[in-house]
Amino acid sequence: MIPSNLVEACFRKFKTVYSRSVSTGFNITEAGEDNNTVPVPGSSDGMNMLGLLVFSVAFGLILGGMGSQGKPLRDFFDCLNQAIMHLVNIFIWYSPVGIFFLMAGQVVKMTDMGEMGQEVGMYTLTVIAGLLIHSFLTLPLIYFSVTRKNPFRFMSGVLQALATAFGTSSSSATLPVTLHCMEVNHSMDTRVTRFMLPTGATMNMDGAALYEAVAALFIAQLHNMNFDFGQIIVLSLIVTASSTGGAGIPQAGLVYMMIVLSSAGLPTENISLLIMVDWILDRLRTTTNVLGDCFGVGVVQHLSRRELQSPGPAGESLMEENLHL
Ligand code: ASP
């Protein structure tokens, strides 16, 4: 997560390697007992995505806090971002042709279409099961344990937002409906909703993170690669970090899969298998993303209920300060 060399992090990643000898200052000594190996820091090919993400977040926070001094660099990155978006827009026009040939390539390579269909079906079911568990168990449990209120009644108040998320596959497009549900149906404080929901629509992607982790494991299993528990934890960290950078637009998660696959050292060509079922998984994970945002607002509103009830002079000056910022 904290690369020692930023340039190197763009093409090499940290890897624990097991060595028979360990260096202790000037001497190289045999490690432990006979045949014992010791873990030592090493590296392997590939981008250190987690390190770059952590650095970027820290750098962005510092730059954001520098006020007018940081403006030239912020303008530079804004400009770079816009130029890249223009390029991406051009590529997107060609994507149907590219996707068609990617899928055709996979179909031609398949030796047993039935078996592959079954595997993709199991992958789809796994993602759906994960999203259902997260939406109906984990999130309600967190909400209930903090607020002691009925989470399912809370969910019924945001049904319209959930239906819109399912229909549009976009957290950002759903934002006005989410705001309406939270402010009108649940009478949430606008100071919480207007800050948290736009942030959540772009940064809080529980569904996308879950999907990306399952998809990466699916591709690893297709290639007979087994991930141990530690690797699954690292993968979860990568997908959580990458999903916060994803946009709340249709199929953004699929684009981020490329980053996840390459940083986990997995082949990217199988992504076309994921595209086949992404139309439905995208809708479902967007619904979970929006639900996560709503529960988040419910929890924060509950935890800050006292501050929100009595703004007082301190509260007012805080709001004024925020407006200046
Ligand atoms: N479509 C999702 C959203 O808008 C993002 C994703 O593709 O994972 O929340």
Side-chain angles (χ1 to χ4, degrees), residues 169-172 201 205 208 247-254 282 285-286 289:
S169 302
S170 165
S171 312
S172 298
M205 306 255 174
I249 54 167
Q251 304 207 317
L254 200 58
D282 190 17
R285 66 177 183 260
T286 309
N289 291 345

Side-chain angles (χ1 to χ4, degrees), residues 3-321:
S4 53
N5 184 331
L6 211 54
V7 177
E8 194 191 19
C10 298
F11 51 88
R12 291 203 63 81
K13 55 188 173 193
F14 180 88
K15 188 178 183 189
T16 307
V17 287
Y18 289 88
S19 159
R20 269 174 163 262
S21 57
V22 60
S23 160
T24 54
F26 298 105
N27 311 320
I28 304 281
T29 56
E30 273 303 306
E33 318 208 355
D34 285 356
N35 295 331
N36 264 6
T37 55
V38 283
V40 290
S43 65
S44 68
D45 279 344
M47 199 189 284
N48 177 1
M49 190 49 67
L50 204 54
L52 290 176
L53 272 169
V54 169
F55 169 77
S56 305
V57 170
F59 190 66
L61 285 174
I62 300 287
L63 206 58
M66 279 172 67
S68 55
Q69 267 185 317
K71 197 170 177 306
L73 203 50
R74 285 204 302 273
D75 288 346
F76 167 79
F77 283 123
D78 273 342
C79 182
L80 188 70
N81 184 35
Q82 275 173 25
I84 288 176
M85 286 317 284
H86 282 304
L87 265 181
V88 170
N89 276 340
I90 298 170
F91 295 152
I92 280 176
W93 283 104
Y94 293 99
S95 63
V97 182
I99 291 171
F100 173 78
F101 281 104
L102 267 175
M103 302 230 301
Q106 286 294 325
V107 171
V108 170
K109 260 196 260 165
M110 277 178 204
T111 41
D112 187 345
M113 283 261 259
E115 198 192 341
M116 188 50 87
Q118 219 175 350
E119 280 166 2
V120 174
M122 280 310 287
Y123 150 72
T124 312
L125 282 182
T126 311
V127 176
I128 294 176
L131 292 174
L132 288 178
I133 292 172
H134 189 65
S135 305
F136 289 99
L137 201 72
T138 319
L139 289 175
L141 213 62
I142 295 173
Y143 179 77
F144 175 75
S145 58
V146 176
T147 64
R148 300 280 154 193
K149 289 184 195 150
N150 185 343
F152 297 104
R153 185 173 302 159
F154 180 89
M155 281 167 85
S156 67
V158 294
L159 261 186
Q160 203 186 346
L162 300 183
T164 313
F166 187 81
T168 58
S169 302
S170 165
S171 312
S172 298
T174 312
L175 187 58
V177 188
T178 320
L179 280 166
H180 175 84
C181 289
M182 295 300 285
E183 289 170 7
V184 178
N185 300 355
H186 283 311
S187 314
M188 294 279 159
D189 196 295
T190 48
R191 282 167 292 175
V192 180
T193 53
R194 305 273 160 117
F195 171 69
M196 281 194 70
L197 288 175
T199 317
T202 42
M203 286 187 72
N204 178 41
M205 306 255 174
D206 327 28
L210 191 148
Y211 150 83
E212 285 172 22
V214 177
L217 287 175
F218 167 64
I219 291 194
Q221 285 171 0
L222 276 186
H223 291 266
N224 295 325
M225 290 160 76
N226 279 323
F227 274 40
D228 60 30
F229 187 69
Q231 284 169 314
I232 293 178
I233 298 286
V234 172
L235 188 68
S236 310
L237 282 176
I238 295 175
V239 294
T240 308
S242 85
S243 69
T244 57
I249 54 167
Q251 304 207 317
L254 200 58
V255 178
Y256 276 80
M257 268 316 293
M258 294 298 277
I259 301 175
V260 172
L261 291 179
S262 53
S263 53
L266 292 166
T268 47
E269 74 262 23
N270 289 109
I271 205 146
S272 46
L273 288 176
L274 307 181
I275 297 174
M276 283 200 282
V277 285
D278 203 58
W279 62 274
I280 178 73
L281 295 185
D282 190 17
R283 287 165 193 276
L284 293 170
R285 66 177 183 260
T286 309
T287 312
T288 307
N289 291 345
V290 171
L291 185 64
D293 300 341
C294 295
F295 272 128
V297 169
V299 167
V300 170
Q301 162 95 23
H302 180 83
L303 292 177
S304 13
R305 60 194 179 283
R306 278 190 208 94
E307 291 88 338
L308 292 169
Q309 260 167 16
S310 54
E316 270 161 24
S317 63
L318 191 70
M319 278 172 65
E320 268 170 34
E321 214 172 274

